[in-house]
């Protein structure tokens, strides 16, 4: 788990950071896709764009949303009221909370930062039958957008992506081709894709491949 203070390196296209204390380099899971990402960024297309939002603080929450003590603890730490409506997102202070199930949520920081929410939530849950687990080292977040973003997603995702059916403030667990994802619209033509680290390179490459006919 990455609990050290992180510093972005300025000389790489893929997010890469160094922990000062241990002088250990931590690389994004997309480091192997650097060449295809560099070529994609150079195209400056308005139809489809993909970038990584690396090193966000991600914490899996388990608890009882009907327990006011649990709800108050989450709100005290995140500034967000625990969402109970399926597939919705609650905004907080520098983060948001995504509904994943009746007793499961994902806390996601809005900017890259050292892992902090797990410790604060664990402290807030003391004496409760609740749990907070840092999953930031096992996932990454891709930001995709452009006028053709829904068409690209539809080639590998079975969700109804029409803007009237799936819009900002919602989220959903689904798949993109063979990879499990959590998908959430962040604006009219922008989505965030939360994906396991082990599938990140695959999703990046197959998404750019799905977008290629629109970009040619």
């Amino acid at each position: 788990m990455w609990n050290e203070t992180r510093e972005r390196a300025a000389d790489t296209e893929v997010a890469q950071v160094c922990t000062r204390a241990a002088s250990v380099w931590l690389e994004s899971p997309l480091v192997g896709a650097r060449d295809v990402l560099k070529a994609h960024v150079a195209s400056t297309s308005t139809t489809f764009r993909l970038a990584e939002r690396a090193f966000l603080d991600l914490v899996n929450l388990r608890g009882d949303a009907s327990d006011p003590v649990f709800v108050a603890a989450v709100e005290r730490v995140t500034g967000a009221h625990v969402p109970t409506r399926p597939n919705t997102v609650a905004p907080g202070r520098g983060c948001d909370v995504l509904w994943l199930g009746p007793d499961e949520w994902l806390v996601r920081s809005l900017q890259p930062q050292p892992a902090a929410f797990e410790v604060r939530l664990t402290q807030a849950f003391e004496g409760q039958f609740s749990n907070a687990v840092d999953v930031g080292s096992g996932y990454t977040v891709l930001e995709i957008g452009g006028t053709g973003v829904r068409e690209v997603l539809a080639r590998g995702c079975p969700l109804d992506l029409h803007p009237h059916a799936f819009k900002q403030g919602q989220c959903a667990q689904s798949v993109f081709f063979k990879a499990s994802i959590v998908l959430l619209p962040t604006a009219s033509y922008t989505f965030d894709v939360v994906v396991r680290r082990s599938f990140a390179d695959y999703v990046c490459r197959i998404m750019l491949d799905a977008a290629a006919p629109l970009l040619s």
Side-chain angles (χ1 to χ4, degrees):
M1 297 180 184
W2 299 341
N3 295 324
E4 304 90 347
T5 301
R6 299 166 183 155
E7 179 183 6
R8 282 185 178 273
D11 60 348
T12 180
E13 299 84 1
V14 178
Q16 186 175 9
V17 294
C18 177
T19 61
R20 292 182 178 179
S23 297
V24 175
W25 287 90
L26 300 175
E27 294 179 325
S28 115
L30 296 186
V31 65
R34 181 178 305 180
D35 291 344
V36 294
L37 278 174
K38 185 176 182 179
H40 170 68
V41 171
S43 70
T44 63
S45 171
T46 59
T47 303
F48 183 77
R49 62 183 183 276
L50 181 152
E52 185 185 20
R53 301 187 63 197
F55 310 124
L56 299 186
D57 192 0
L58 302 172
V59 177
N60 182 268
L61 286 186
R62 301 302 294 261
D64 182 359
S66 65
D67 181 356
V69 178
F70 169 74
V71 172
V74 174
E75 188 165 2
R76 188 163 61 248
V77 173
T78 67
H81 190 77
V82 176
T84 55
R85 184 179 177 184
N87 301 317
T88 57
V89 180
R93 293 187 301 270
C95 69
D96 48 25
V97 179
L98 286 62
W99 185 97
L100 300 182
D103 63 352
E104 184 179 10
W105 299 264
L106 179 70
V107 177
R108 182 191 68 146
S109 69
L110 300 183
Q111 299 296 330
Q113 66 177 44
F117 282 117
E118 179 193 35
V119 173
R120 293 167 58 196
L121 286 162
T122 298
Q123 292 172 345
F125 292 160
E126 187 174 356
Q128 298 183 42
F129 192 66
S130 306
N131 194 31
V133 178
D134 177 15
V135 296
S137 61
Y139 288 81
T140 193
V141 179
L142 305 179
E143 182 181 68
I144 57 175
T147 56
V149 66
R150 285 184 176 82
E151 185 174 346
V152 173
L153 278 172
R155 296 185 177 188
C157 179
L159 292 176
D160 182 353
L161 299 168
H162 191 281
H164 292 311
F166 192 48
K167 54 191 175 182
Q168 192 171 359
Q170 295 178 287
C171 64
Q173 297 184 80
S174 188
V175 295
F176 187 72
F177 288 96
K178 295 182 179 180
S180 298
I181 62 171
V182 179
L183 184 67
L184 61 155
T186 56
S188 296
Y189 293 99
T190 307
F191 293 79
D192 275 2
V193 183
V194 184
V195 60
R196 288 184 182 274
R197 182 181 185 90
S198 55
F199 277 96
D201 186 283
Y202 164 80
V203 169
C204 172
R205 291 177 183 275
I206 202 167
M207 195 169 280
L208 291 178
D209 187 61
L214 300 178
L215 304 178
S216 59

